[in-house]
Amino acid sequence: VQLQASGGGLVQAGGSLRLSCAASGRTFSSDFMGWFRQTPGMEREFVATISWSGSRTLYTDSVKGRFTISRDNAKNMVYLQMDSLKPEDTAVYYCAVSTRPYGSNSYYQSRWGYDYWGQGTLVTVSS
Protein backbone atom coordinates (compact mmCIF):
# COMPACT_ATOMS: atom_id res chain seq x y z
CA VAL A 1 0.00 0.00 0.00
CA GLN A 2 1.25 3.44 -0.93
CA LEU A 3 -0.10 6.78 0.18
CA GLN A 4 1.22 9.91 -1.50
CA ALA A 5 0.31 13.19 0.14
CA SER A 6 0.67 16.52 -1.65
CA GLY A 7 -0.55 20.10 -1.58
CA GLY A 8 1.37 21.50 1.35
CA GLY A 9 3.12 24.83 1.23
CA LEU A 10 3.49 28.28 2.73
CA VAL A 11 0.36 30.36 3.23
CA GLN A 12 -0.54 33.46 5.20
CA ALA A 13 -2.88 33.28 8.15
CA GLY A 14 -6.47 33.35 6.94
CA GLY A 15 -5.58 31.64 3.70
CA SER A 16 -6.48 28.23 2.32
CA LEU A 17 -4.78 25.07 1.16
CA ARG A 18 -6.07 21.80 -0.20
CA LEU A 19 -4.18 18.63 0.64
CA SER A 20 -4.53 15.54 -1.51
CA CYS A 21 -3.61 11.94 -0.85
CA ALA A 22 -3.40 9.31 -3.56
CA ALA A 23 -3.79 5.74 -2.36
CA SER A 24 -2.83 2.57 -4.18
CA GLY A 25 -2.08 -1.06 -3.54
CA ARG A 26 -5.33 -2.38 -2.09
CA THR A 27 -9.07 -2.03 -2.36
CA PHE A 28 -10.10 0.75 -0.04
CA SER A 29 -13.79 -0.04 -0.23
CA SER A 30 -14.35 -0.41 3.50
CA ASP A 31 -11.51 1.71 4.82
CA PHE A 32 -11.51 4.92 6.73
CA MET A 33 -9.06 7.49 5.41
CA GLY A 34 -7.74 10.15 7.69
CA TRP A 35 -5.37 13.03 8.21
CA PHE A 36 -3.00 13.56 11.11
CA ARG A 37 -0.42 16.24 11.76
CA GLN A 38 2.78 16.52 13.70
CA THR A 39 5.09 19.29 14.85
CA PRO A 40 8.66 18.75 16.09
CA GLY A 41 8.80 17.21 19.54
CA MET A 42 5.08 16.55 19.64
CA GLU A 43 2.94 13.48 19.21
CA ARG A 44 1.20 12.94 15.92
CA GLU A 45 -2.32 14.25 16.40
CA PHE A 46 -5.60 13.44 14.76
CA VAL A 47 -7.11 16.01 12.40
CA ALA A 48 -9.96 14.38 10.49
CA THR A 49 -11.20 11.09 9.11
CA ILE A 50 -13.87 9.89 6.71
CA SER A 51 -15.62 6.58 6.12
CA TRP A 52 -15.72 4.91 2.72
CA SER A 53 -19.23 6.19 1.98
CA GLY A 54 -18.49 9.63 3.32
CA SER A 55 -21.44 9.36 5.67
CA ARG A 56 -19.26 9.47 8.73
CA THR A 57 -16.68 12.17 9.35
CA LEU A 58 -14.81 13.14 12.47
CA TYR A 59 -12.77 16.27 13.19
CA THR A 60 -10.62 17.42 16.01
CA ASP A 61 -12.22 20.37 17.77
CA SER A 62 -9.59 22.88 16.73
CA VAL A 63 -10.36 22.49 13.01
CA LYS A 64 -14.14 22.12 13.07
CA GLY A 65 -15.77 24.66 10.79
CA ARG A 66 -12.47 25.41 9.04
CA PHE A 67 -11.34 22.08 7.56
CA THR A 68 -13.35 19.72 5.36
CA ILE A 69 -12.37 16.13 4.56
CA SER A 70 -13.66 14.41 1.44
CA ARG A 71 -12.80 11.44 -0.73
CA ASP A 72 -13.19 10.24 -4.29
CA ASN A 73 -13.40 6.46 -4.22
CA ALA A 74 -13.22 6.11 -7.98
CA LYS A 75 -9.81 7.76 -7.87
CA ASN A 76 -8.69 6.39 -4.49
CA MET A 77 -8.14 9.93 -3.30
CA VAL A 78 -8.76 11.71 -0.02
CA TYR A 79 -8.66 15.47 0.37
CA LEU A 80 -8.40 17.97 3.18
CA GLN A 81 -9.66 21.45 2.39
CA MET A 82 -8.16 23.82 4.94
CA ASP A 83 -9.64 27.31 5.21
CA SER A 84 -9.07 30.17 7.65
CA LEU A 85 -5.65 28.77 8.41
CA LYS A 86 -3.91 29.78 11.61
CA PRO A 87 -0.21 29.73 12.53
CA GLU A 88 -0.97 26.90 14.96
CA ASP A 89 -2.00 24.74 11.99
CA THR A 90 1.66 24.65 10.93
CA ALA A 91 2.75 21.01 10.87
CA VAL A 92 3.61 18.06 8.69
CA TYR A 93 0.34 16.53 7.59
CA TYR A 94 0.04 12.79 7.05
CA CYS A 95 -2.68 10.80 5.37
CA ALA A 96 -3.50 7.37 6.72
CA VAL A 97 -5.74 4.38 6.13
CA SER A 98 -7.62 2.37 8.71
CA THR A 99 -8.71 -1.05 7.48
CA ARG A 100 -11.26 -1.45 10.26
CA PRO A 101 -14.71 -0.76 8.76
CA TYR A 102 -16.52 -0.31 12.07
CA GLY A 103 -15.19 1.26 15.19
CA SER A 104 -15.71 3.85 17.85
CA ASN A 105 -14.92 7.51 17.40
CA SER A 106 -11.99 7.18 19.77
CA TYR A 107 -10.58 4.36 17.67
CA TYR A 108 -10.48 6.46 14.52
CA GLN A 109 -9.15 9.47 16.41
CA SER A 110 -6.11 7.52 17.55
CA ARG A 111 -2.99 7.02 15.44
CA TRP A 112 -3.05 3.39 16.56
CA GLY A 113 -6.25 2.83 14.59
CA TYR A 114 -4.44 3.28 11.27
CA ASP A 115 -2.51 0.66 9.36
CA TYR A 116 -0.91 2.58 6.52
CA TRP A 117 0.71 6.00 6.42
CA GLY A 118 1.90 8.40 3.76
CA GLN A 119 5.15 10.34 3.85
CA GLY A 120 3.73 13.70 4.94
CA THR A 121 3.45 17.14 3.43
CA LEU A 122 4.54 20.32 5.20
CA VAL A 123 2.07 23.10 5.83
CA THR A 124 3.45 26.40 7.07
CA VAL A 125 1.11 29.21 8.06
CA SER A 126 2.73 32.60 8.57
CA SER A 127 1.27 35.25 10.86
Side-chain angles (χ1 to χ4, degrees):
V1 174
Q2 287 191 322
L3 301 174
Q4 183 72 39
S6 61
L10 174 64
V11 64
Q12 287 188 331
S16 298
L17 282 175
R18 188 195 194 206
L19 304 184
S20 299
C21 179
S24 62
R26 65 176 265 116
T27 301
F28 299 94
S29 59
S30 60
D31 296 345
F32 274 68
M33 300 182 78
W35 290 94
F36 286 71
R37 64 188 180 187
Q38 189 171 22
T39 54
M42 301 296 287
E43 294 288 322
R44 192 168 297 187
E45 67 167 349
F46 169 77
V47 177
T49 194
I50 186 169
S51 62
W52 177 79
S53 67
S55 62
R56 186 176 174 190
T57 58
L58 299 170
Y59 296 91
T60 192
D61 286 346
S62 63
V63 308
K64 285 180 181 177
R66 300 189 299 120
F67 290 10
T68 304
I69 190 170
S70 62
R71 64 190 289 171
D72 184 336
N73 291 326
K75 298 180 180 179
N76 281 345
M77 296 288 294
V78 63
Y79 307 98
L80 187 67
Q81 177 66 40
M82 305 187 295
D83 299 318
S84 302
L85 282 161
K86 303 176 180 180
E88 51 263 44
D89 295 318
T90 295
V92 176
Y93 283 72
Y94 298 88
C95 60
V97 168
S98 173
T99 60
R100 183 170 179 173
Y102 302 103
S104 65
N105 287 355
S106 60
Y107 181 85
Y108 293 116
Q109 292 166 333
S110 168
R111 60 179 295 186
W112 307 111
Y114 292 78
D115 306 285
Y116 303 104
W117 293 86
Q119 86 291 359
T121 185
L122 176 62
V123 172
T124 304
V125 184
S126 63
S127 57

